[in-house]
Amino acid sequence: MDRPTISAENLQEAAENLITIRDFIRFGVSALRQYDAHLGQGTEDYFAESSALVLQTLSLDWNADAQILDAKLLPSEIAEFLSLLERRINEKVPTSYLLNLAYFYNKPFYVDERVLIPRSPIAELIENRFAPYFLGENEEMGAAVNNLPENATPKAPQRILDMCTGSGCIAIALAYAFPDAEIDATDLSKEALEVAQINCEHHNKQYQVALLESDLFEKIPAENQYDLIVSNPPYVDAEDMADLPEEFLHEPELALAAGQDGLDLVRKMLVQAADYLTVDGLIVIEVGNSEWAMRQNFHTVDFYWLQFQKGGTGIFALTAEQCRKFRELFIQSIQA
């Protein structure tokens, strides 16, 4: 059965009868809902999706005065917005790719189809500076946040690794949160690292964030020791890959698929993590919907499954001590 598409006649009617910014945002909301545009790649509601398309077309940001919503659009502006909306609905192109823009850690990042669209709950951990496990300057140890473990001697991390960095958004956010830290950001994809470089330069973090092409730990020097390792790796299992909405098929498969149970890369990371963490280091990994598989495969491991005030699940933390304690179990899971 063919899916419904928005027609040229519908778009022409809008162009001839709608006038203000408010009009076109409303039209976009109705059209996105009517034609079943799938959300979840940066926005969670149709109003935000439509507003992004309209406001970015007009070079306006979210903080624009509400009175401007009653301003009229030029014919060229109307044509540009309706063209984007048509592609969003009929070609199922995610809004972030249409605009080459996504927000993470409340900051703008360039994205295109070489990288995954940023949407990780890890942003909240960075906002909280991974408290109480780590402390920044002039910070006192407080109550546990996000269910992270406590640390007997908390301090600010000096060296951080962002593995599977993609657009570089996590590494750059970490650079903002920990301005005195040295940050390495790795990815297997040369194309993704090209995007990460664009973002590093845009945020002026190219001197703090070092980009490296590497298949997980493969090309990271053995002497590198990190206080914090963060990773949002591919974790989509085979069943979910087969059922992905069309919008997600625009994202690179390399950044999504991770074997039958979604844990192919995570297993490899856990086997080697202890070798690259400082004595009291911490690793944080996102596994999304593969959380169930993690719990089933490693039911004896006392993961810290993290909680988020802004929503999100499927992220765990392990201390370096835990990585050493369960290393043999992780090795056995690779060999099974």
Side-chain angles (χ1 to χ4, degrees):
M1 180 178 176
D2 293 336
R3 55 177 170 77
T5 57
I6 192 167
S7 68
E9 290 76 17
N10 292 145
L11 297 169
Q12 185 61 35
E13 182 183 20
E16 292 174 353
N17 292 280
L18 302 180
I19 298 173
T20 68
I21 295 173
R22 194 186 305 273
D23 290 340
F24 284 95
I25 290 176
R26 195 284 307 159
F27 177 74
V29 170
S30 297
L32 291 166
R33 180 176 286 114
Q34 179 180 353
Y35 295 101
D36 297 324
H38 188 85
L39 304 177
Q41 291 167 288
T43 61
E44 296 296 338
D45 64 78
Y46 291 113
F47 180 82
E49 191 93 355
S50 182
S51 297
L53 285 168
V54 176
L55 295 176
Q56 289 300 320
T57 295
L58 302 174
S59 299
L60 298 172
D61 59 33
W62 294 100
N63 298 320
D65 192 312
Q67 293 183 19
I68 208 170
L69 296 177
D70 293 316
K72 297 179 180 179
L73 275 70
L74 293 169
S76 59
E77 294 170 335
I78 292 173
E80 183 177 356
F81 164 66
L82 292 177
S83 175
L84 290 175
L85 184 64
E86 180 179 22
R87 292 192 64 202
R88 177 67 184 87
I89 291 172
N90 292 353
E91 299 177 29
K92 301 296 184 183
V93 180
T95 293
S96 291
Y97 289 155
L98 292 172
L99 302 175
N100 295 126
L101 175 68
Y103 280 85
F104 182 81
Y105 191 68
N106 295 318
K107 297 187 182 297
F109 290 89
Y110 174 87
V111 294
D112 60 31
E113 296 191 10
R114 291 175 288 181
V115 297
L116 200 72
I117 297 168
R119 49 185 178 269
S120 173
I122 288 173
E124 185 176 316
L125 298 176
I126 301 173
E127 290 169 3
N128 293 328
R129 295 165 59 88
F130 294 84
Y133 199 82
F134 293 107
L135 291 182
E137 293 183 6
N138 304 317
E139 291 180 347
E140 295 182 359
M141 187 170 179
V145 179
N146 301 105
N147 199 39
L148 280 164
E150 294 186 357
N151 185 351
T153 57
K155 61 183 185 299
Q158 297 302 302
R159 298 206 64 192
I160 302 174
L161 171 64
D162 172 27
M163 185 171 287
C164 305
T165 193
S167 65
C169 63
I170 289 177
I172 292 166
L174 287 163
Y176 277 110
F178 301 106
D180 295 326
E182 297 178 14
I183 298 167
D184 291 340
T186 67
D187 205 287
L188 177 61
S189 167
K190 291 181 180 179
E191 291 77 14
L193 291 173
E194 291 170 359
V195 175
Q197 184 65 39
I198 292 170
N199 284 315
C200 284
E201 293 175 1
H202 174 76
H203 289 274
N204 196 31
K205 298 297 183 184
Q206 66 271 32
Y207 304 109
Q208 187 183 0
V209 177
L211 301 175
L212 174 66
E213 182 187 347
S214 179
D215 184 357
L216 302 182
F217 290 104
E218 183 179 35
K219 294 183 181 178
I220 299 177
E223 64 269 19
N224 283 21
Q225 296 289 289
Y226 299 98
D227 301 307
L228 173 63
I229 297 175
V230 181
S231 185
N232 179 15
Y235 57 70
V236 182
D237 63 35
E239 182 178 354
D240 283 349
M241 281 297 298
D243 293 332
L244 284 177
E246 289 183 64
E247 281 86 348
F248 288 84
L249 301 181
H250 289 271
E251 295 188 296
E253 184 176 352
L254 184 66
L256 293 168
Q260 191 63 33
D261 63 0
L263 302 180
D264 283 5
L265 277 74
V266 174
R267 287 187 176 91
K268 295 177 182 178
M269 293 167 63
L270 291 176
V271 166
Q272 294 184 270
D275 295 331
Y276 290 88
L277 285 168
T278 55
V279 172
D280 57 351
L282 185 75
I283 187 168
V284 175
I285 302 178
E286 180 168 348
V287 294
N289 289 344
S290 295
E291 176 180 341
W292 183 87
M294 283 292 297
R295 291 180 181 272
Q296 294 298 309
N297 281 275
F298 303 107
H299 61 275
T300 60
V301 178
D302 48 345
F303 295 105
Y304 291 93
W305 288 103
L306 306 187
Q307 301 167 356
F308 298 91
Q309 293 181 348
K310 298 179 181 179
T313 58
I315 299 178
F316 68 83
L318 285 175
T319 65
E321 181 181 1
Q322 289 174 304
C323 290
R324 293 189 293 269
K325 176 182 177 181
F326 295 106
R327 186 204 295 265
E328 286 304 315
L329 176 63
F330 298 143
I331 292 173
Q332 291 170 16
S333 75
I334 293 284
Q335 298 171 342

